[in-house]
Amino acid sequence: MAKILAMDTSSYKLGVAVSDGDTVIGEYMTQLKKNHALRLMPAVESLLQEVGIKPADLDVIAVAKGPGSYTGVRMATTAAKTLAWTLGLPLVAISTIELMAQAGTYFHGYVVPIIDARRQTVFTGAYHSGGARDITMELPDRHSSLTDWLSDLQTLDGPFLFVGEDARLHREAIVAALGEQAVFAPRMLADARPGELCALASKREPIQHVHAFEPMYLRQAEAEVNWQRAQKDRHEGSY
């Protein structure tokens, strides 16, 4: 029975879980504005010690690959790649949006994770839930303006369960577009547990080439966009 170590630092949430077969035997999760770089590996080490599993006993490393905070996404994916390579273990990467959608496992309708991406844009996707852990992708994960995204959702026959801590930031616009079809998960239950990452990873094929794996950002970092713009302006100014 496979032992899976899963990590998620896509946002302020830091989540670590360990599963043995079909049982999640340990979880650690916080929702704090603290430096993941200083806390992730100590959390992993502490949880493994608590459940009595050594790194050499692990069979799979799983990670939430983004989108989300650039720094946060890089933190978990870098740690996961390093552990997978060092221990010689397969690496399974799961979309953060799909992981968030698991918070709506028993909802009948569409589960819509929301991560605020600033400037009235969001990272999101739409997953159809038939209840009893039957969740399938309906609209692919994307970076979109909120207005365009709500227009896309209006083509579906709801209801819609909005999940994620950031959904509340756009509640007014969502309700204006979807009315009573829009349902919001309670803030305490708006995010999936890290143990769900173990469950998803247990059913997925690992990445073929660990070193080639890259996080899923869905957009360029603002610093990269500004750099490219500066290079373009400099190039055009040279003529």
Side-chain angles (χ1 to χ4, degrees):
M1 301 178 72
K3 295 179 176 64
I4 301 175
L5 169 65
M7 294 174 282
D8 176 20
T9 58
S10 303
S11 62
Y12 290 131
K13 181 178 71 177
L14 185 155
V16 180
V18 179
S19 65
D20 188 354
D22 60 1
T23 302
V24 175
I25 59 176
E27 285 183 301
Y28 174 84
M29 185 172 73
T30 61
Q31 188 86 279
L32 304 169
K33 294 182 180 181
K34 291 187 176 182
N35 192 337
H36 292 334
L38 301 177
R39 301 170 58 236
L40 176 57
M41 292 313 297
V44 169
E45 183 179 10
S46 176
L47 185 60
L48 288 175
Q49 290 179 348
E50 181 70 19
V51 300
I53 291 180
K54 298 178 181 179
D57 297 329
L58 295 169
D59 299 295
V60 177
I61 304 295
V63 66
K65 66 180 180 180
S69 159
Y70 287 103
T71 302
V73 169
R74 285 196 298 270
M75 193 60 57
T77 53
T78 299
K81 287 176 66 173
T82 300
L83 284 173
W85 179 77
T86 302
L87 299 172
L89 297 177
L91 174 65
V92 177
I94 302 294
S95 157
T96 300
I97 300 296
E98 181 180 4
L99 172 61
M100 292 172 64
Q102 306 311 303
T105 292
Y106 299 105
F107 180 77
H108 289 265
Y110 296 96
V111 183
V112 184
I114 294 288
I115 300 174
D116 183 63
R118 300 181 181 179
R119 299 179 181 177
Q120 290 300 303
T121 67
V122 293
F123 297 118
T124 187
Y127 291 76
H128 186 266
S129 174
R133 304 199 64 81
D134 178 22
I135 294 183
T136 56
M137 180 186 290
E138 183 70 26
L139 297 177
D141 301 346
R142 67 191 67 180
H143 173 240
S144 172
S145 72
L146 182 62
T147 300
D148 289 347
W149 178 241
L150 292 175
S151 295
D152 288 344
L153 292 181
Q154 287 174 327
T155 66
L156 303 177
D157 184 15
F160 304 93
L161 174 67
F162 288 86
V163 300
E165 177 68 18
D166 292 342
R168 61 188 175 85
L169 301 177
H170 303 286
R171 182 173 187 135
E172 184 175 345
I174 292 170
V175 171
L178 300 174
E180 294 182 356
Q181 287 190 313
V183 181
F184 294 83
R187 290 184 65 176
M188 285 188 177
L189 304 174
D191 285 307
R193 295 165 34 217
E196 294 283 3
L197 187 52
C198 293
L200 290 171
S202 69
K203 303 173 185 177
R204 302 296 172 83
E205 291 296 320
I207 293 168
Q208 292 296 317
H209 303 288
V210 172
H211 290 297
F213 165 66
E214 295 183 355
M216 183 173 72
Y217 294 122
L218 292 185
R219 71 170 182 182
Q220 290 179 303
E222 186 173 355
E224 186 176 357
V225 172
N226 291 338
W227 181 86
Q228 291 180 347
R229 185 182 297 118
Q231 295 303 306
K232 179 180 179 181
D233 292 343
R234 181 181 178 183
H235 177 73
E236 292 177 349
S238 65
Y239 288 97

